[in-house]
Amino acid sequence: AGEVRTFEMEYQKVLDKRGRYTGAFVSVKDRTEEQKKLNEERYAATHDKLTGLYNSDYLYSRIEKRLREDPETRYIVVTSDIKGFKMVNDIYGTKTGDEILINIAKSIAENASSDTIYGRVSGDKFGLMMRRDLYNEEVFTKDMNKANLPNEDMFYPIIIHVGVYEITDRRIPASVMFDRAFMALATIKEDMQKRIAYYDANLRENLLWEQRVAGSIDLGLDTEQIVPYMQAQVTSDGKIEGVELLARWM
């Protein structure tokens, strides 16, 4: 098959000085290169350069458009993150790291259903939105682990953690939906066994509480709410051999 070319055709009537029709001509211009450049610019604006998947902005816009057009179907947002990916880059170099990301992107594209929307969110983080009824944890985990390593001799384990948020509030931006999935993922990021975590209201409340506590430490120190206590370290026969210093938040 030959190259597809784009032409612009313009039909013009020819009139004499009295305005009477005397004929016509057709102007044909080859716009192939201009159209090709335009398509490349559009692609670059909406796709990730390394993996060819949607970039985060276009991923979010496509998801929000789908949710507006299909208000009845239940969807979930799924995110993934490679444990210790910076270490992979440090040990094997960024070229190997890029090859791993490309393999993961291929695995997502090959295993996603036709109506799944997916892309690269940032760095080693990928995300997708899929129908709730098509999600199966066991199958999904198996598919995520199909990403082949570029080097069979690699000794550093490639562990992918996944966070899932079932879309219950369609009014929030897609970026916030992904934030919630990443919140769930963060709870298992240091876990070597558990690979998938799910977002729920309790998780959100716990995270908000932790942030409230962490954000109040400076105030607690400034207002002397946090005070030191010494607890004696006593042997079995009652002899004090030392003390343990404790900080209590009153």
Side-chain angles (χ1 to χ4, degrees):
E3 179 186 1
V4 175
R5 306 195 67 82
T6 302
F7 296 93
E8 180 184 283
M9 302 181 68
E10 183 180 1
Y11 173 79
Q12 285 282 355
K13 292 181 179 180
V14 178
L15 306 177
D16 63 15
K17 292 182 180 180
R18 296 181 180 181
R20 292 177 299 185
Y21 177 80
T22 59
F25 70 89
V26 176
S27 173
V28 180
K29 296 180 181 179
D30 188 341
R31 299 291 191 187
T32 303
E33 291 304 317
E34 294 177 28
Q35 187 62 45
K36 182 180 178 181
K37 185 176 180 181
L38 179 60
N39 292 340
E40 289 174 350
E41 290 174 351
R42 287 174 177 170
Y43 184 89
T46 57
H47 289 71
D48 174 59
K49 184 177 180 180
L50 176 66
T51 64
L53 303 187
Y54 291 153
N55 60 31
S56 59
D57 288 340
Y58 194 57
L59 173 67
Y60 298 156
S61 66
R62 286 290 304 271
I63 286 174
E64 290 170 0
K65 183 174 183 291
R66 170 72 64 78
L67 292 175
R68 288 193 302 269
E69 295 175 348
D70 184 12
E72 301 300 325
T73 303
R74 293 173 60 190
Y75 287 99
I76 61 172
V77 159
V78 182
T79 57
S80 69
D81 179 79
I82 302 173
K83 179 177 174 60
F85 187 68
K86 290 182 180 179
M87 186 66 70
V88 174
N89 281 331
D90 288 342
I91 296 175
Y92 299 102
T94 56
K95 181 180 179 181
T96 297
D98 287 348
E99 289 177 0
I100 292 173
L101 296 178
I102 291 171
N103 286 339
I104 292 175
K106 287 181 179 177
S107 178
I108 293 173
E110 289 170 358
N111 292 287
S113 62
S114 59
D115 58 354
T116 295
I117 304 173
Y118 50 87
R120 184 184 181 192
V121 178
S122 66
D124 61 319
K125 297 175 173 61
F126 294 85
L128 60 86
M129 185 184 78
M130 63 184 297
R131 282 168 43 189
R132 177 67 181 85
D133 61 339
L134 296 180
Y135 174 74
N136 179 292
E137 180 178 309
E138 183 178 349
V139 173
F140 192 86
T141 304
K142 184 178 179 182
D143 289 342
M144 285 298 295
N145 289 329
K146 283 182 180 178
N148 297 321
L149 300 181
N151 185 348
E152 294 180 356
D153 297 328
M154 288 181 64
F155 60 86
Y156 191 89
I158 302 300
I159 297 175
I160 299 177
H161 285 125
V162 174
V164 180
Y165 165 65
E166 182 169 355
I167 300 175
T168 55
D169 186 355
R170 292 171 178 251
R171 297 169 299 176
I172 63 176
S175 60
V176 176
M177 297 177 185
F178 278 85
D179 286 343
R180 292 184 174 183
F182 279 119
M183 283 183 192
L185 188 155
T187 64
I188 59 169
K189 201 166 184 178
E190 302 306 318
D191 197 319
M192 297 293 287
Q193 302 299 323
K194 192 173 182 181
R195 300 297 177 87
I196 298 184
Y198 297 87
Y199 175 91
D200 59 27
N202 290 332
L203 171 61
R204 181 172 182 272
E205 289 302 316
N206 290 338
L207 290 172
L208 288 174
W209 169 249
E210 290 176 6
Q211 291 175 359
R212 252 193 320 267
V213 171
S216 301
I217 289 178
D218 288 342
L219 178 63
L221 290 169
D222 292 341
T223 57
E224 299 183 350
Q225 297 175 22
I226 300 175
V227 295
Y229 278 78
M230 288 189 292
Q231 178 172 292
Q233 294 176 327
V234 185
T235 63
S236 58
D237 57 2
K239 181 181 178 182
I240 296 178
E241 289 195 339
V243 294
E244 180 181 4
L245 186 64
L246 306 175
R248 291 179 178 171
W249 196 334
M250 307 305 290

